[in-house]
Amino acid sequence: MSVADRLAHVRARIDAAARSAGRNPSSVRLVAISKTLPLSAIREAYAAGQRDFGENRVQEALSKIAAGTDMAIRWHLVGHLQTNKARKAGPAFAVMHGIDSVDLLHKLDAAAAEAGTTPELLIQVDLAGEATKHGVPPDEVPPLFEAAAGCRAARVTGLMTVPPRPDDAEDARPYFARLRALRDGWRKSGVPDSMLQELSMGMSGDFEVAIQEGSTMVRVGTAIFGSRPVTA
Ligand SMILES: *Cc1c(COP(=O)(O)O)cnc(C)c1O
Protein backbone atom coordinates (compact mmCIF):
# COMPACT_ATOMS: atom_id res chain seq x y z
CA MET A 1 0.00 0.00 0.00
CA SER A 2 1.18 3.53 -0.74
CA VAL A 3 1.42 6.29 1.88
CA ALA A 4 -1.64 7.90 0.25
CA ASP A 5 -3.63 4.65 0.60
CA ARG A 6 -2.64 4.16 4.23
CA LEU A 7 -3.38 7.79 5.00
CA ALA A 8 -6.85 7.46 3.49
CA HIS A 9 -7.41 4.33 5.54
CA VAL A 10 -6.33 6.06 8.79
CA ARG A 11 -8.59 9.02 8.00
CA ALA A 12 -11.51 6.65 7.45
CA ARG A 13 -10.82 4.94 10.79
CA ILE A 14 -10.66 8.33 12.54
CA ASP A 15 -14.01 9.32 11.02
CA ALA A 16 -15.62 6.03 12.02
CA ALA A 17 -14.27 6.21 15.59
CA ALA A 18 -15.48 9.79 15.99
CA ARG A 19 -18.94 9.00 14.64
CA SER A 20 -19.23 5.92 16.85
CA ALA A 21 -18.56 8.17 19.85
CA GLY A 22 -21.12 10.74 18.69
CA ARG A 23 -18.36 13.22 17.82
CA ASN A 24 -17.80 15.33 14.74
CA PRO A 25 -14.82 13.84 12.81
CA SER A 26 -13.53 17.36 12.16
CA SER A 27 -12.93 17.71 15.91
CA VAL A 28 -10.00 15.28 15.64
CA ARG A 29 -6.77 16.47 14.04
CA LEU A 30 -4.43 13.90 12.53
CA VAL A 31 -0.74 14.60 13.15
CA ALA A 32 1.42 12.41 10.89
CA ILE A 33 4.52 11.42 12.85
CA SER A 34 7.37 11.42 10.34
CA LYS A 35 10.35 10.85 12.68
CA THR A 36 13.23 8.84 11.12
CA LEU A 37 11.57 9.07 7.69
CA PRO A 38 12.98 10.91 4.69
CA LEU A 39 11.45 14.10 3.35
CA SER A 40 10.18 12.10 0.36
CA ALA A 41 7.72 10.29 2.66
CA ILE A 42 6.51 13.63 3.99
CA ARG A 43 6.08 14.88 0.42
CA GLU A 44 3.99 11.84 -0.42
CA ALA A 45 1.65 12.42 2.50
CA TYR A 46 1.56 16.14 1.76
CA ALA A 47 0.52 15.45 -1.82
CA ALA A 48 -2.34 13.38 -0.38
CA GLY A 49 -3.54 16.40 1.59
CA GLN A 50 -1.82 15.92 4.97
CA ARG A 51 -0.72 19.23 6.55
CA ASP A 52 0.16 18.47 10.19
CA PHE A 53 3.45 16.61 10.69
CA GLY A 54 5.22 15.72 13.94
CA GLU A 55 8.84 15.01 14.80
CA ASN A 56 10.37 13.98 18.11
CA ARG A 57 13.99 15.10 17.70
CA VAL A 58 14.81 18.78 17.40
CA GLN A 59 17.84 18.49 15.08
CA GLU A 60 16.12 16.11 12.70
CA ALA A 61 13.01 18.29 12.69
CA LEU A 62 14.92 21.50 11.98
CA SER A 63 16.68 20.02 8.98
CA LYS A 64 13.40 18.71 7.53
CA ILE A 65 11.71 22.05 8.17
CA ALA A 66 14.57 23.83 6.34
CA ALA A 67 14.36 21.41 3.40
CA GLY A 68 10.58 21.55 3.14
CA THR A 69 9.85 25.27 3.16
CA ASP A 70 8.03 24.96 -0.18
CA MET A 71 5.25 23.10 1.66
CA ALA A 72 2.67 24.78 3.94
CA ILE A 73 3.22 22.36 6.82
CA ARG A 74 2.18 22.85 10.43
CA TRP A 75 5.13 21.32 12.27
CA HIS A 76 4.59 19.69 15.65
CA LEU A 77 7.28 18.73 18.12
CA VAL A 78 6.07 15.66 20.02
CA GLY A 79 9.29 14.84 21.86
CA HIS A 80 11.06 16.41 24.78
CA LEU A 81 12.60 19.84 24.29
CA GLN A 82 15.61 20.76 26.39
CA THR A 83 15.38 24.22 27.91
CA ASN A 84 18.71 25.24 26.37
CA LYS A 85 17.30 24.61 22.88
CA ALA A 86 14.10 26.61 23.41
CA ARG A 87 15.37 29.80 21.85
CA LYS A 88 16.64 28.19 18.68
CA ALA A 89 14.00 25.51 18.22
CA GLY A 90 10.87 27.06 19.67
CA PRO A 91 9.94 29.42 16.84
CA ALA A 92 10.15 26.61 14.23
CA PHE A 93 7.09 24.73 15.50
CA ALA A 94 3.39 25.56 15.35
CA VAL A 95 2.55 23.13 18.15
CA MET A 96 4.77 21.72 20.90
CA HIS A 97 3.37 18.71 22.76
CA GLY A 98 5.99 18.05 25.42
CA ILE A 99 5.89 21.04 27.76
CA ASP A 100 7.01 19.85 31.18
CA SER A 101 8.32 22.80 33.19
CA VAL A 102 7.60 26.43 34.02
CA ASP A 103 11.14 27.28 32.98
CA LEU A 104 10.64 25.78 29.51
CA LEU A 105 7.32 27.60 29.17
CA HIS A 106 8.94 30.95 29.99
CA LYS A 107 11.85 30.37 27.61
CA LEU A 108 9.55 29.35 24.75
CA ASP A 109 7.34 32.36 25.36
CA ALA A 110 10.32 34.71 25.28
CA ALA A 111 11.62 33.07 22.09
CA ALA A 112 8.20 33.27 20.44
CA ALA A 113 7.75 36.92 21.40
CA GLU A 114 11.15 37.74 19.94
CA ALA A 115 10.44 35.81 16.73
CA GLY A 116 6.89 37.12 16.38
CA THR A 117 5.32 33.64 16.49
CA THR A 118 2.39 32.40 18.61
CA PRO A 119 2.97 28.65 19.12
CA GLU A 120 0.45 26.34 20.74
CA LEU A 121 1.87 24.49 23.72
CA LEU A 122 0.53 21.30 25.26
CA ILE A 123 1.43 20.25 28.78
CA GLN A 124 2.64 16.65 28.86
CA VAL A 125 1.04 14.88 31.80
CA ASP A 126 2.80 11.80 33.16
CA LEU A 127 0.06 9.40 34.26
CA ALA A 128 2.16 6.28 34.61
CA GLY A 129 4.84 7.61 36.92
CA GLU A 130 7.51 5.93 34.83
CA ALA A 131 10.94 7.28 35.62
CA THR A 132 12.00 7.03 31.98
CA LYS A 133 9.12 9.07 30.59
CA HIS A 134 8.98 12.82 30.38
CA GLY A 135 6.00 14.79 31.57
CA VAL A 136 4.61 16.36 34.73
CA PRO A 137 2.70 14.42 37.37
CA PRO A 138 -0.90 15.72 37.63
CA ASP A 139 -0.40 17.48 40.97
CA GLU A 140 2.46 19.53 39.50
CA VAL A 141 0.49 20.77 36.48
CA PRO A 142 -1.40 23.77 38.03
CA PRO A 143 1.73 25.97 38.34
CA LEU A 144 2.12 25.63 34.56
CA PHE A 145 -1.39 27.02 34.04
CA GLU A 146 -0.47 29.97 36.26
CA ALA A 147 2.72 30.57 34.29
CA ALA A 148 0.76 30.26 31.03
CA ALA A 149 -1.57 33.06 32.11
CA GLY A 150 1.42 35.40 32.05
CA CYS A 151 2.68 34.40 28.59
CA ARG A 152 2.80 37.09 25.91
CA ALA A 153 3.19 35.05 22.72
CA ALA A 154 2.99 31.32 23.44
CA ARG A 155 -0.44 29.88 24.20
CA VAL A 156 -1.07 26.81 26.32
CA THR A 157 -4.02 25.15 24.58
CA GLY A 158 -4.26 21.73 26.19
CA LEU A 159 -2.78 18.51 27.48
CA MET A 160 -0.87 15.58 26.07
CA THR A 161 -0.05 12.12 27.36
CA VAL A 162 1.86 9.01 26.28
CA PRO A 163 0.66 5.89 28.11
CA PRO A 164 2.97 2.90 28.57
CA ARG A 165 3.07 1.10 25.23
CA PRO A 166 -0.05 -1.07 25.29
CA ASP A 167 -0.19 -4.75 24.26
CA ASP A 168 -3.81 -4.12 23.45
CA ALA A 169 -5.48 -0.79 22.63
CA GLU A 170 -7.85 -1.27 25.56
CA ASP A 171 -4.86 -1.16 27.96
CA ALA A 172 -4.47 2.51 27.08
CA ARG A 173 -8.11 3.45 27.71
CA PRO A 174 -7.77 4.14 31.47
CA TYR A 175 -4.94 6.60 30.78
CA PHE A 176 -6.96 8.45 28.14
CA ALA A 177 -10.02 8.54 30.40
CA ARG A 178 -7.87 9.85 33.24
CA LEU A 179 -6.45 12.71 31.15
CA ARG A 180 -9.97 13.71 30.13
CA ALA A 181 -11.14 13.56 33.77
CA LEU A 182 -8.21 15.74 34.85
CA ARG A 183 -9.12 18.21 32.10
CA ASP A 184 -12.73 18.30 33.31
CA GLY A 185 -11.59 18.79 36.91
CA TRP A 186 -9.25 21.65 36.04
CA ARG A 187 -12.02 23.27 34.01
CA LYS A 188 -14.31 23.12 37.05
CA SER A 189 -11.63 24.56 39.28
CA GLY A 190 -11.40 27.67 37.10
CA VAL A 191 -8.53 27.04 34.69
CA PRO A 192 -9.39 29.06 31.56
CA ASP A 193 -11.15 27.07 28.84
CA SER A 194 -8.64 28.33 26.27
CA MET A 195 -5.93 26.32 28.06
CA LEU A 196 -7.93 23.09 27.98
CA GLN A 197 -9.09 22.86 24.36
CA GLU A 198 -6.84 20.05 23.19
CA LEU A 199 -6.23 16.49 24.33
CA SER A 200 -3.27 15.07 22.38
CA MET A 201 -3.55 11.33 22.86
CA GLY A 202 -3.60 8.21 20.71
CA MET A 203 -0.97 6.61 18.44
CA SER A 204 -1.08 3.94 15.71
CA GLY A 205 -2.00 1.16 18.12
CA ASP A 206 -4.72 2.92 20.07
CA PHE A 207 -5.99 6.08 18.32
CA GLU A 208 -9.57 4.83 17.98
CA VAL A 209 -9.82 4.22 21.73
CA ALA A 210 -8.29 7.67 22.33
CA ILE A 211 -10.92 9.28 20.09
CA GLN A 212 -13.67 7.50 22.00
CA GLU A 213 -12.19 9.03 25.17
CA GLY A 214 -12.13 12.56 23.76
CA SER A 215 -8.83 12.97 21.91
CA THR A 216 -8.60 16.06 19.69
CA MET A 217 -5.16 15.27 18.23
CA VAL A 218 -3.96 11.79 17.35
CA ARG A 219 -0.24 11.30 16.66
CA VAL A 220 0.03 8.52 14.08
CA GLY A 221 3.28 7.27 12.54
CA THR A 222 3.53 3.62 11.53
CA ALA A 223 -0.10 3.27 10.45
CA ILE A 224 0.60 5.93 7.80
CA PHE A 225 4.25 5.38 6.87
CA GLY A 226 4.80 1.72 7.66
CA SER A 227 7.29 0.49 10.23
CA ARG A 228 10.22 2.77 10.91
CA PRO A 229 13.81 1.81 10.22
CA VAL A 230 15.22 0.39 13.47
CA THR A 231 17.54 2.90 15.09
CA ALA A 232 20.23 2.05 17.60
C1 LIG B 1 6.66 7.98 17.59
C2 LIG B 1 5.61 8.70 18.34
C3 LIG B 1 4.25 8.59 17.95
C4 LIG B 1 3.77 7.73 16.79
O1 LIG B 1 3.92 6.38 17.09
P1 LIG B 1 3.28 5.25 16.13
O2 LIG B 1 3.11 4.09 17.04
O3 LIG B 1 4.27 5.02 15.05
O4 LIG B 1 2.00 5.78 15.60
C5 LIG B 1 3.32 9.31 18.68
N1 LIG B 1 3.66 10.09 19.73
C6 LIG B 1 4.94 10.23 20.12
C7 LIG B 1 5.25 11.09 21.29
C8 LIG B 1 5.95 9.53 19.45
O5 LIG B 1 7.22 9.65 19.87
Side-chain angles (χ1 to χ4, degrees):
M1 269 212 291
S2 68
V3 166
D5 288 340
R6 279 194 294 250
L7 191 52
H9 187 57
V10 168
R11 288 205 188 107
R13 287 170 60 192
I14 290 171
D15 277 26
R19 284 183 214 287
S20 78
R23 300 183 55 201
N24 185 336
S26 70
S27 67
V28 183
R29 197 188 310 176
L30 172 59
V31 184
I33 304 299
S34 48
K35 63 188 183 195
T36 77
L37 295 157
L39 199 65
S40 56
I42 295 173
R43 290 195 183 283
E44 236 182 304
Y46 186 85
Q50 180 63 26
R51 292 295 177 267
D52 288 86
F53 289 86
E55 293 280 333
N56 72 334
R57 287 175 196 273
V58 172
Q59 274 322 316
E60 183 185 340
L62 292 180
S63 62
K64 287 178 188 171
I65 291 170
T69 49
D70 55 305
M71 295 181 279
I73 289 178
R74 286 169 49 86
W75 289 101
H76 297 239
L77 183 68
V78 299
H80 181 65
L81 179 61
Q82 284 172 309
T83 308
N84 61 8
K85 289 188 184 154
R87 187 148 181 273
K88 187 173 169 227
F93 298 95
V95 188
M96 279 171 275
H97 296 234
I99 306 308
D100 60 0
S101 77
V102 168
D103 189 32
L104 179 59
L105 190 56
H106 283 149
K107 292 220 162 66
L108 285 172
D109 184 48
E114 197 181 334
T117 59
T118 56
E120 288 182 45
L121 307 182
L122 306 178
I123 298 169
Q124 182 168 355
V125 185
D126 176 13
L127 299 176
E130 287 171 288
T132 54
K133 286 245 166 76
H134 294 291
V136 195
D139 58 339
E140 293 171 27
V141 170
L144 276 90
F145 293 133
E146 280 160 40
C151 282
R152 295 171 294 159
R155 300 164 293 145
V156 166
T157 58
L159 310 170
M160 178 265 204
T161 200
V162 184
R165 192 163 274 283
D167 291 327
D168 182 275
E170 286 299 328
D171 299 345
R173 188 184 295 278
Y175 295 94
F176 299 148
R178 174 114 169 84
L179 192 66
R180 188 193 54 199
L182 284 165
R183 191 265 322 265
D184 293 347
W186 283 321
R187 213 173 242 166
K188 273 208 189 99
S189 72
V191 174
D193 237 21
S194 60
M195 294 185 193
L196 297 169
Q197 294 297 305
E198 307 286 351
L199 291 178
S200 167
M201 52 190 201
M203 305 172 32
S204 290
D206 53 25
F207 67 83
E208 283 143 320
V209 170
I211 290 167
Q212 287 162 8
E213 297 298 335
S215 174
T216 65
M217 285 190 203
V218 290
R219 309 177 307 265
V220 180
T222 47
I224 295 171
F225 296 110
S227 52
R228 285 180 287 274
V230 179
T231 49

